[in-house]
Amino acid sequence: MDKGHLGGGGGGGGGLLALDASPRPLGFLNLLSPPPFHRSTMEADDSGGGGGRARRSVEVDFFSDEKKNMKKSRVSGGAAAEADDAKGPAAAGLAIKKEDLTINLLPAGNNARSDRSMVVDDDAASRLDHEEKSRSSNELAAMQAELGRMNEENQRLRGMLTQVTTSYQALQMHLVTLMQQRPQMMQPPTQPEPPPPHQDGKAEGAVVPRQFLDLGPSSGAGGEAAEEPSNSSTEAGSPRRSSSTGNKDQERGDSPDAPSTAAAWLPGRAMAPQMGAAGAAGKSHDQQAQDANMRKARVSVRARSEAPIIADGCQWRKYGQKMAKGNPCPRAYYRCTMATGCPVRKQVQRCAEDRSILITTYEGTHNHPLPPAAMAMASTTSAAASMLLSGSMPSADGAAGLMSSNFLARTVLPCSSSMATISASAPFPTVTLDLTHAPPGAPNAVPLNAARPGAPAPQFQVPLPGGGMAPAFAVPPQVLYNQSKFSGLQIRRRRPRRRSPCRSCCSAAAAAITADPNFTVALAAAITSIIGGQHAAAAGNSNANNTNTNTTSNTNNTSSNNTTSNNTNSETQ
DNA sequence: CGAATTTGACCGGCGC
DNA sequence: GCGCCGGTCAAATTCG
């Protein structure tokens, strides 16, 4: 065991969860104003308990390159730095030369002093000294006047900068919107394909050929993933894993088409087989960089849950547990076992600051059909991931990344500031869906149901066709009215074409979210749409959706040797 | 007895 | 280059 890991004792806790550690994410995302970037640097803070507090305001850490540039530039001058960094080429015309703002008041005094020292012993020069003094004072006054003038100029330029910033933002948003639409339009018409070969019996009947968490703007990965078992996320997470060390599940699932595993959930790569050799060969470096980015993309869900794991409708097998730095609660690692070789993994960890909050981080794309129960989370995470990655798509271009992130912020966050947090901070771009806070006007936090079917906690659960309890979120009543958006989204997108169902799903999801001024409502609606069809049988539990009683029966996993996870990570389907 | 979980060890990435 | 840390493996253990 890595004793060092258990030692923990620091803040940090990893880029992703560090951001999530805040019990109340602010949800802001002001990419054009320096403060978030300044704060984001605190993410790397390894300090102890205080780190969490500090991180409270750390919500955004997009694109470290820009951050560095910004820092660098800020050293040289305030307005100039802002103009150069925030605006980039667009603000070239507004660039302010450093020397313009570098106003040194010392020379006058220094010169005078040095002059005086030169003539201090010269009586004849005393009068000259006096004259020079007065001249210096005049110069000083002139310089002060100049300073005042420059300040005014500075103010004026700042105003202009703000104006240009606004227009630039608008253009960015527009561009991102266009870019989001483009993948769909560019997708070549493809013939229907047979269902996945490994459509196992677990998901029979109720299964819906929908991908969970398609991590890509051009969600082609979904289609490929559905047809090709993949451990690509595993490869991403642990490249060293080779045939000799791969686990049984993965080996079983991957062996048939290992070469395409990477394509299975990397949207860009997924396109390669379709495009053929030429298409694959023509893949740009940008796209490859994009792939790398997508491979790491994650969706984190924060929810109040007394159970050690939230029931999201999938079957998970625990394969590891570790103490994460800065969090006394262990982090558990699960992989999806609904289908052999499913690359999806998730990490479950309690929030260090509020242990009633369970942070579940999903990574990867399911390569198998999902039961409706799993689609609730799928809708949420896939949409969020799609948005995230559509935003980080042109990662090679710093300005574009900034642009996209800003777009995400504006589409996801403004109306649901407590709902979604986007972080492109290294190492993984992450969307955090915070379900611990109800939308404005909602009474309380949104409780997530316990994973255990027999859990005593009066939390909202949905029965599955198979008899198990499906995941569900307690939906604040006031958001139920708007369920049509997401439910329609799901239904419409069922099997548009086998080639890339997920692509379409996510594009639609992203579009829906983009169009929807209230992501919170849309999210709740998605879940509600699931609940709606099966709610009746869950009446016994449904009374908990309004009142989060937060029973304290759960003993948190505060010990590294905790043994509570063994009875919770297998979900009855 | 098979499956699932636990947990120490190992590996690679990354920062210093 | 070294150490820290996240992530994963896999033998041992536990559970049903």
Side-chain angles (χ1 to χ4, degrees):
Chain A
M1 179 101 169
D2 288 352
K3 301 300 181 186
H5 293 189
L6 293 175
L16 167 63
L17 291 177
L19 292 179
D20 294 336
S22 166
R24 189 173 290 272
L26 299 178
F28 58 73
L29 205 120
N30 185 0
L31 294 166
L32 291 172
S33 64
F37 290 94
H38 277 304
R39 286 195 300 270
S40 67
T41 61
M42 299 185 333
E43 181 184 343
D45 180 17
D46 282 343
S47 61
R53 293 294 169 200
R55 265 184 269 110
R56 185 176 298 274
S57 60
V58 179
E59 293 299 325
V60 180
D61 183 10
F62 288 97
F63 313 109
S64 55
D65 287 344
E66 292 165 9
K67 195 168 62 182
K68 289 171 185 172
N69 290 340
M70 185 167 291
K71 279 183 186 173
K72 207 179 302 177
S73 298
R74 196 171 289 115
V75 173
S76 58
E82 289 178 18
D84 291 343
D85 293 328
K87 297 301 102 210
L94 286 179
I96 304 170
K97 291 177 183 173
K98 186 170 64 179
E99 51 267 30
D100 289 342
L101 294 179
T102 304
I103 300 168
N104 186 2
L105 293 177
L106 291 178
N110 286 344
N111 291 342
R113 209 172 298 129
S114 62
D115 289 345
R116 197 163 48 238
S117 65
M118 288 164 54
V119 298
V120 65
D121 295 331
D122 190 350
D123 290 343
S126 64
R127 198 171 52 194
L128 181 62
D129 179 35
H130 182 71
E131 288 176 0
E132 289 204 6
K133 245 192 235 179
S134 63
R135 195 171 58 195
S136 296
S137 65
N138 287 341
E139 285 178 3
L140 181 61
M143 293 190 76
Q144 281 175 340
E146 181 78 358
L147 175 62
R149 194 178 59 80
M150 288 213 162
N151 280 337
E152 287 180 14
E153 181 78 0
N154 193 9
Q155 295 291 340
R156 196 171 57 83
L157 288 173
R158 281 178 183 271
M160 290 175 60
L161 177 61
T162 304
Q163 213 168 357
V164 173
T165 296
T166 306
S167 344
Y168 187 59
Q169 268 182 289
L171 284 173
Q172 285 175 344
M173 292 170 62
H174 186 61
L175 179 57
V176 171
T177 305
L178 291 177
M179 281 164 38
Q180 272 192 331
Q181 293 167 354
R182 212 176 88 187
Q184 279 181 295
M185 301 176 62
M186 289 181 61
Q187 181 180 4
T190 56
Q191 70 283 8
E193 292 181 8
H198 53 279
Q199 211 164 3
D200 53 17
K202 291 176 188 174
E204 61 182 325
V207 301
V208 178
R210 176 187 174 88
Q211 294 303 304
F212 172 55
L213 208 156
D214 173 22
L215 297 178
S218 58
S219 314
E224 294 299 323
E227 292 143 15
E228 301 172 359
S230 165
N231 70 341
S232 54
S233 78
T234 302
E235 294 297 331
S238 178
R240 71 186 161 89
R241 195 170 306 113
S242 59
S243 58
S244 62
T245 58
N247 65 52
K248 285 173 251 174
D249 290 346
Q250 285 169 335
E251 282 178 351
R252 255 181 284 139
D254 295 346
S255 51
D257 47 7
S260 61
T261 55
W265 79 293
L266 293 181
R269 295 186 193 277
M271 293 297 292
Q274 306 174 32
M275 295 187 303
K283 206 168 135 184
S284 67
H285 288 289
D286 284 357
Q287 198 170 354
Q288 289 175 350
Q290 175 185 339
D291 289 349
N293 212 18
M294 290 163 191
R295 191 181 321 192
K296 299 289 187 180
R298 294 177 171 181
V299 175
S300 181
V301 177
R302 292 166 52 93
R304 292 194 184 280
S305 174
E306 300 302 328
I309 186 176
I310 63 173
D312 47 24
C314 291
Q315 285 182 313
W316 302 94
R317 177 174 179 173
K318 190 175 185 178
Y319 66 89
Q321 177 170 302
K322 264 195 106 72
M323 294 302 297
K325 189 181 177 187
N327 192 332
C329 302
R331 176 185 300 165
Y333 299 88
Y334 298 86
R335 71 164 55 94
C336 177
T337 58
M338 285 193 74
T340 57
C342 179
V344 175
R345 315 218 162 176
K346 76 173 180 180
Q347 301 173 5
V348 179
Q349 186 174 36
R350 293 207 169 270
C351 179
E353 296 179 357
D354 184 353
R355 297 186 183 179
S356 67
I357 295 176
L358 202 62
I359 302 169
T360 305
T361 303
Y362 296 91
E363 175 183 347
T365 304
H366 287 287
N367 61 2
H368 53 83
L370 291 171
M375 287 175 57
M377 191 67 81
S379 303
T380 304
T381 55
S382 124
S386 175
M387 289 189 66
L388 170 64
L389 288 167
S390 67
S392 60
M393 179 164 50
S395 56
D397 182 348
L402 182 66
M403 158 195 74
S404 304
S405 303
N406 198 35
F407 170 77
L408 288 172
R410 286 172 171 271
T411 52
V412 177
L413 300 178
C415 297
S416 54
S417 59
S418 65
M419 196 67 183
T421 303
I422 303 171
S423 167
S425 63
F428 311 115
T430 303
V431 171
T432 299
L433 302 178
D434 191 347
L435 303 180
T436 63
H437 301 94
N444 272 319
V446 182
L448 207 59
N449 76 313
R452 303 169 58 179
Q459 291 174 325
F460 195 59
Q461 292 181 323
V462 172
L464 278 174
M469 299 305 279
F473 304 92
V475 181
Q478 67 270 33
V479 302
L480 296 179
Y481 76 96
N482 198 20
Q483 63 176 275
S484 60
K485 288 181 181 176
F486 250 96
S487 57
L489 180 75
Q490 291 181 5
I491 294 170
R492 259 201 318 275
R493 288 300 173 174
R494 290 180 58 170
R495 304 188 72 115
R497 59 182 69 154
R498 283 299 310 165
R499 170 59 73 177
S500 57
C502 196
R503 178 196 201 110
S504 303
C505 286
C506 290
S507 297
I513 293 176
T514 303
D516 194 330
N518 193 331
F519 180 47
T520 304
V521 171
L523 172 60
I527 297 154
T528 306
S529 69
I530 301 299
I531 297 170
Q534 306 157 332
H535 193 194
N541 293 324
S542 62
N543 56 352
N545 63 342
N546 290 334
T547 56
N548 178 15
T549 53
N550 269 346
T551 58
T552 57
S553 60
N554 176 52
T555 56
N556 294 321
N557 305 331
T558 56
S559 166
S560 62
N561 294 324
N562 86 83
T563 57
T564 60
S565 60
N566 62 346
N567 55 359
T568 57
N569 53 9
S570 290
E571 296 163 17
T572 307
Q573 289 297 315

